[in-house]
Amino acid sequence: MSWNWQAIIKYFPDLLAASVTTIELVVTSCAIGLVLGVILGLLRLSPTLWLRAIPAVYIFFFRGTPLLVQIFLIYYGLGQFDTIKQSTLWEPVFSQAYWCAIIAFTLNTSAYIGEIVRGAVMAVPTGELEAADAIGMSKLQKLKRITLPRAFGIMIPAYSNEVIFMLKGSALAASITVVELTHKARDIIAITYLNLEMFFAAGVIYLLISWVFLFAFRQFERHINRHKRYVPPTADANLPN
């Protein structure tokens, strides 16, 4: 079996152009999902039962059902409700496959991020929280200055994994005609019948995007956790010669 490298070179720019849509889907959904996930995670730690129950049901549903089903429910299901179909958001948002994919990805990833945030907040050392109480910080001050910054430093590895999972899951957007990387590869295959070559090229692009994301998260983790690399000067070094 011989590979058609010329076809890969010829169509590689088209696949790269389609990968922009893939990146948009992932970045937008994960950014909004992070905000929702923080809210969900904090509500899961609320001492009030009903405040814990609402996000728990939400997280259970979106973690327990396939992402593809969620995409279909939003893209095909919302149009079944006259209230939504007659709303001002129907034409610009809910009738568009692109925005329905973003909504589905956002709701899905926020459920996972909510549990990541909850675990990270619970992992914040209690000594730091007790020190904040000792100096008279309010609950809001403690949340903004101690709890969330420390939790973000703890959750970065898990959050980066979730972003990579969403990158791979973004291929499901092709099922509702969003022209992202996988959809474009299928379009080219329909013309060239080069299944292996086109999916190989698409896989290479997915790997490159993953590497960029992981590299960015690694640098951000080094920055936000730079206090862990701090080495205090020894007593001998402070003594005069």
Side-chain angles (χ1 to χ4, degrees):
M1 181 187 69
S2 61
W3 278 51
N4 193 335
W5 293 103
Q6 290 182 345
I8 294 177
I9 296 171
K10 177 182 177 181
Y11 290 105
F12 201 78
D14 295 332
L15 293 173
L16 280 177
S19 69
V20 174
T21 302
T22 295
I23 295 172
E24 289 176 354
L25 291 171
V26 175
V27 172
T28 304
S29 59
C30 287
I32 302 174
L34 176 61
V35 177
L36 294 177
V38 170
I39 297 173
L40 290 170
L42 293 178
L43 288 177
R44 289 278 283 122
L45 296 171
S46 172
T48 306
L49 178 61
W50 68 271
L51 284 178
R52 294 198 310 270
I54 294 175
V57 173
Y58 175 95
I59 291 171
F60 176 76
F61 175 80
F62 282 100
R63 292 177 69 194
T65 56
L67 177 56
L68 183 60
V69 172
Q70 296 163 19
I71 293 173
F72 286 164
L73 284 174
I74 292 172
Y75 183 62
Y76 296 113
L78 291 180
Q80 306 299 315
F81 298 95
D82 292 334
T83 304
I84 295 177
K85 208 166 185 179
Q86 295 170 4
S87 68
T88 56
L89 292 176
W90 172 252
E91 285 296 331
V93 179
F94 296 122
S95 65
Q96 305 297 320
Y98 177 83
W99 290 111
C100 285
I102 287 181
I103 293 171
F105 292 160
T106 299
L107 296 177
N108 180 272
T109 193
S110 64
Y112 288 91
I113 294 173
E115 286 298 280
I116 293 173
V117 170
R118 183 179 70 89
V121 169
M122 294 178 65
V124 174
T126 55
E128 297 181 13
L129 301 177
E130 291 171 353
D133 292 332
I135 62 176
M137 279 191 182
S138 65
K139 290 185 177 180
L140 183 59
Q141 288 177 323
K142 185 168 64 173
L143 180 67
K144 293 192 299 184
R145 299 180 182 181
I146 305 295
T147 306
L148 287 182
R150 291 289 284 116
F152 281 134
I154 294 170
M155 66 177 274
I156 288 175
Y159 178 64
S160 65
N161 285 339
E162 175 59 22
V163 173
I164 299 302
F165 288 145
M166 286 309 303
L167 173 62
K168 294 184 289 185
S170 66
L172 295 175
S175 63
I176 55 172
T177 71
V178 178
V179 185
E180 44 73 66
L181 182 53
T182 300
H183 190 286
K184 190 64 178 179
R186 290 176 178 174
D187 288 345
I188 296 173
I189 289 170
I191 300 171
T192 62
Y193 300 101
L194 299 173
N195 293 271
L196 187 59
E197 287 88 341
M198 292 304 107
F199 280 131
F200 171 79
V204 169
I205 295 175
Y206 276 116
L207 285 174
L208 290 174
I209 298 173
S210 298
W211 181 84
V212 171
F213 280 157
L214 290 174
F215 179 79
F217 276 114
R218 190 173 296 113
Q219 297 305 311
F220 181 66
E221 183 180 7
R222 285 175 57 85
H223 172 74
I224 200 171
N225 290 328
R226 59 188 180 277
H227 61 279
K228 294 183 179 180
R229 303 193 306 274
Y230 174 73
V231 180
T234 61
D236 294 339
N238 294 328
L239 295 176
N241 294 328

